[in-house]
Amino acid sequence: MAREFSTVGVVGLGTMGAGIVEVFARNGIDVVAVEISAPALERGRATLKGSTDRAVAKGKLAEADRDALNERVHFAVGLDALHSVDLVIEAVPEHLDLKQRIFAELDRVCRPEAILATNTSSLSVTEISVATSRPNQVIGIHFFNPAPVMKLVEVVRTVVTAPEVVADVEALCARLGKVDVTINDRAGFIANALLFGYLNHAVGMFESHYATREDIDAAMKLGCGLPMGPLALMDLIGLDTAYEILDTMYRRGGRDRRHAPVPLLKQMVTAGLLGRKSGRGFYTYERPGSPVVVPDEATPLATDGALADGARAIAKVGVVGSGTMATGIIEVFAKAGYEVVSVTRGMEKSAKVCEAVKTSLNKGVVRGKLAEADRDAALGRISWSATLDHLADVDLVVEAVVEELSVKKALFASLDEICKPGVVLATTTSSLPVIDVAMATQRPADVVGLHFFNPAPVMPLVEVVRTIRTSPEATATARAVCAALGKTGVVCGDRSGFIVNALLFPYLNDAVKMLEASYSTADDIDHAMKLGCGYPMGPFELLDVVGLDVSLAIQRELYLELREPGFAPAPLLEHLVTAGYLGRKTRRGFRDHSHR
């Protein structure tokens, strides 16, 4: 039987500590809440009161339950108040020497059988435990912020943590209504090890002026369904906290360059730009501690009218290709009021594309998302062709043919001869260099990438890719077209993976490496990212959906271009692809889908 915890102590009543106090008190456990001074104690008391009052106001907590909760919390200055608790959780700032001093003192104060736990998110639990004479009773219990809301707890055992201590803490997590994942003591554990490599990469992207902060954040929210963009999330976490976590993980985790803090991060911390808490980070906030973003000198000006910035007028659009992507793009343009010329190789393919567009539009009518008259009008705007010559009078061409450079270059050379001057020529490539396609024409200034996401009618994001030869007018035209389609266009340079894939796939590759090292299971890693970081899918769920072969191809491209050792494809990913385990499409990937 797991032991019953009747009283727990919490050391440190910042946002995290006060949240942990609330979690225990909500679940009927008495809490001794400790701070270093009376003013700090009052701040902690105010944080707890603010959180519980908000829960009452939102109807998530009855007034009687709030009052009972507050009754269970005893506030005290100094660690001596913890002499009779069953478990202590420390939630002080992430400094090893500070935590070691506190644990040495807790070892002296607490009963011999009490469990001592740290809420560290990046430091070594083992190094903290050796400050005590009972390292077998020391464990990591890593809650996520805000603790009352977030479901995940990482339970971190060291090589000497007693098995019964682990079992007791796992049972406690279940009593608190949390989902626990139990792991060994390694830099960053699961969630931070995967999250912070991605966040650091996003800062590097911003530092190199590859894309604006707004476009990087919009790309990850709209392209991946994440609750927040990486730079807004960094501001929420605090840039000083993020720097400490990355620096610790870099030093402890084998000096992986993915975790070496980007220089800009250190500069911002030194300048006092710490994110929301200081009122300024990657964004500027109404006041310190406020979540409300206000415009600053880096905020893009709102362009009035579709033809701002020298954008050209677009009325007629050609779409070349007959696959899913081409079909979706034809539908998007036709619904938005553009005249569309669909060009495929042969009338048989045209008939198939026409049928697919009709089916999709009819679904929209059945679901009540499209009026019958609008469906008929959209179909009336499309003309079907099997010859490129019919693109002679269009204003924009969108190419959505097979991802082979030779095929795309040949197509663009033909378009160069057929299309009138001033036409914007766009490729939907997701992996090839746009400049290679552009240089197959005599008009590289008019060539851009327009990377739609699948399914194009649903996904709100388009990556607008400008090469070093793309003119500002062509970029402005592409942005204006995205806006007219009701899409969010994000502008980036012509680098492998653009924004979304360049940030997403190294994170997925890191998850495979974590599994490969037997650090955790696919299920626990997926749980950690969904419950700890609010991701819509765990990395292994997503890999199986995308296809392991597709994922490997993208990761190889990124590695070839950046030559960063941390981007080398995980051997396990290569082995699964070689074995034909490609994910859902072959009914076997990281998981077996044959019975689903």
Side-chain angles (χ1 to χ4, degrees), residues 133-147:
S133 62
R134 55 174 107 178
N136 59 324
Q137 285 165 242
V138 176
I139 194 165
I141 305 180
H142 179 219
F143 287 84
F144 286 72
N145 201 8

Side-chain angles (χ1 to χ4, degrees), residues 341-422:
V341 182
S342 161
V343 180
T344 62
R345 286 183 314 185
M347 290 315 291
E348 198 180 315
K349 279 204 159 70
S350 275
K352 271 190 176 168
V353 175
C354 177
E355 203 49 47
V357 171
K358 277 182 184 167
T359 302
S360 181
L361 289 170
N362 284 335
K363 273 186 190 162
V365 173
V366 170
R367 288 177 183 161
K369 295 191 173 175
L370 193 65
E372 289 192 23
D374 292 337
R375 171 198 62 192
D376 298 342
L379 284 169
R381 293 186 196 106
I382 309 168
S383 55
W384 309 95
S385 168
T387 167
L388 291 172
D389 293 336
H390 287 141
L391 299 174
D393 64 339
V394 301
D395 307 309
L396 163 71
V397 179
V398 181
E399 161 278 309
V401 301
V402 65
E403 282 283 271
E404 281 180 30
L405 191 56
S406 57
V407 176
K408 290 188 191 282
K409 283 170 81 168
L411 172 60
F412 272 72
S414 302
L415 293 173
D416 191 29
E417 290 176 13
I418 292 162
C419 295
K420 64 188 182 187

Side-chain angles (χ1 to χ4, degrees), residues 397-552:
V397 179
V398 181
E399 161 278 309
V401 301
V402 65
E403 282 283 271
E404 281 180 30
L405 191 56
S406 57
V407 176
K408 290 188 191 282
K409 283 170 81 168
L411 172 60
F412 272 72
S414 302
L415 293 173
D416 191 29
E417 290 176 13
I418 292 162
C419 295
K420 64 188 182 187
V423 173
V424 173
L425 303 178
T427 170
T428 60
T429 184
S430 61
S431 60
L432 299 170
V434 178
I435 191 67
D436 283 4
V437 178
M439 295 310 288
T441 73
Q442 299 299 307
R443 45 171 120 181
D446 292 329
V447 178
V448 296
L450 271 184
H451 178 220
F452 287 81
F453 286 72
N454 201 8
V458 177
M459 294 294 279
L461 184 72
V462 181
E463 289 176 318
V464 176
V465 186
R466 56 170 180 225
T467 73
I468 49 174
R469 296 288 296 266
T470 305
S471 70
E473 295 77 24
T475 305
T477 306
R479 272 206 107 141
V481 165
C482 291
L485 294 175
K487 305 283 189 194
T488 299
V490 296
V491 178
C492 58
D494 182 22
R495 265 184 9 202
S496 188
F498 311 139
I499 299 174
V500 173
N501 286 353
L503 291 178
L504 175 66
F505 282 88
Y507 145 75
L508 295 175
N509 195 51
D510 287 347
V512 180
K513 288 179 181 172
M514 188 178 272
L515 179 68
E516 189 173 57
S518 301
Y519 179 61
S520 189
T521 64
D523 286 349
D524 277 357
I525 294 170
D526 278 357
H527 277 318
M529 298 316 290
K530 288 197 296 188
L531 300 175
C533 302
Y535 281 30
M537 296 176 92
F540 298 105
E541 280 179 87
L542 185 55
L543 282 159
D544 276 1
V545 168
V546 169
L548 275 57
D549 50 342
V550 174
S551 305
L552 177 60

Side-chain angles (χ1 to χ4, degrees), residues 143-421:
F143 287 84
F144 286 72
N145 201 8
V149 177
M150 299 299 276
K151 280 285 194 203
L152 183 74
V153 176
E154 289 177 321
V155 176
V156 187
R157 61 182 168 220
T158 72
V159 286
V160 295
T161 306
E164 59 271 20
V165 169
V166 176
D168 290 343
V169 168
E170 286 173 339
L172 176 64
C173 290
R175 181 178 165 190
L176 298 175
K178 302 292 186 188
V179 175
D180 70 273
V181 293
T182 301
I183 43 182
N184 295 326
D185 184 20
R186 196 179 97 167
F189 314 137
I190 298 176
N192 281 356
L194 295 181
L195 178 68
F196 277 85
Y198 149 72
L199 294 177
N200 199 37
H201 189 183
V203 176
M205 212 176 244
F206 174 71
E207 181 186 52
S208 67
H209 302 289
Y210 178 66
T212 65
R213 63 191 180 183
E214 286 85 359
D215 282 357
I216 291 169
D217 279 354
M220 297 315 288
K221 280 169 69 178
L222 301 176
C224 300
L226 301 184
M228 288 181 90
L231 302 178
L233 181 54
M234 281 290 241
D235 276 359
L236 174 63
I237 292 166
L239 273 60
D240 49 346
T241 304
Y243 179 83
E244 290 290 340
I245 290 172
L246 281 164
D247 188 51
T248 303
M249 287 190 344
Y250 177 68
R251 286 185 286 103
R252 279 189 63 211
R255 303 195 174 266
D256 179 349
R257 284 204 41 81
R258 296 260 293 138
H259 294 138
V262 168
L264 175 65
L265 204 50
K266 183 69 183 285
Q267 292 158 21
M268 290 176 77
V269 171
T270 306
L273 306 177
L274 308 182
R276 281 191 194 182
K277 59 186 169 190
S278 68
R280 183 98 191 252
F282 289 104
Y283 296 91
T284 301
Y285 298 86
E286 206 169 38
R287 61 181 180 277
S290 168
V292 180
V293 175
V294 295
D296 57 22
E297 66 280 1
T299 304
L301 295 169
T303 52
D304 46 333
L307 300 185
D309 308 326
R312 301 166 195 165
I314 305 289
K316 196 171 185 181
V317 179
V319 180
V320 184
S322 57
T324 312
M325 209 67 226
T327 307
I329 292 168
I330 292 165
E331 180 185 332
V332 167
F333 276 102
K335 280 201 297 201
Y338 290 94
E339 244 186 284
V340 183
V341 182
S342 161
V343 180
T344 62
R345 286 183 314 185
M347 290 315 291
E348 198 180 315
K349 279 204 159 70
S350 275
K352 271 190 176 168
V353 175
C354 177
E355 203 49 47
V357 171
K358 277 182 184 167
T359 302
S360 181
L361 289 170
N362 284 335
K363 273 186 190 162
V365 173
V366 170
R367 288 177 183 161
K369 295 191 173 175
L370 193 65
E372 289 192 23
D374 292 337
R375 171 198 62 192
D376 298 342
L379 284 169
R381 293 186 196 106
I382 309 168
S383 55
W384 309 95
S385 168
T387 167
L388 291 172
D389 293 336
H390 287 141
L391 299 174
D393 64 339
V394 301
D395 307 309
L396 163 71
V397 179
V398 181
E399 161 278 309
V401 301
V402 65
E403 282 283 271
E404 281 180 30
L405 191 56
S406 57
V407 176
K408 290 188 191 282
K409 283 170 81 168
L411 172 60
F412 272 72
S414 302
L415 293 173
D416 191 29
E417 290 176 13
I418 292 162
C419 295
K420 64 188 182 187

Side-chain angles (χ1 to χ4, degrees), residues 3-10 29-32 81-89 110-117 134 137 139 141 165 168-169 172 175:
R3 90 162 83 170
E4 189 68 30
F5 295 96
S6 55
T7 314
V8 300
V10 177
I29 298 171
D30 291 334
V31 186
V32 180
L82 301 170
H83 57 85
S84 61
V85 300
D86 304 314
L87 163 77
V88 181
I89 297 189
C110 294
R111 293 184 307 163
E113 63 273 20
I115 293 174
L116 309 182
R134 55 174 107 178
Q137 285 165 242
I139 194 165
I141 305 180
V165 169
D168 290 343
V169 168
L172 176 64
R175 181 178 165 190

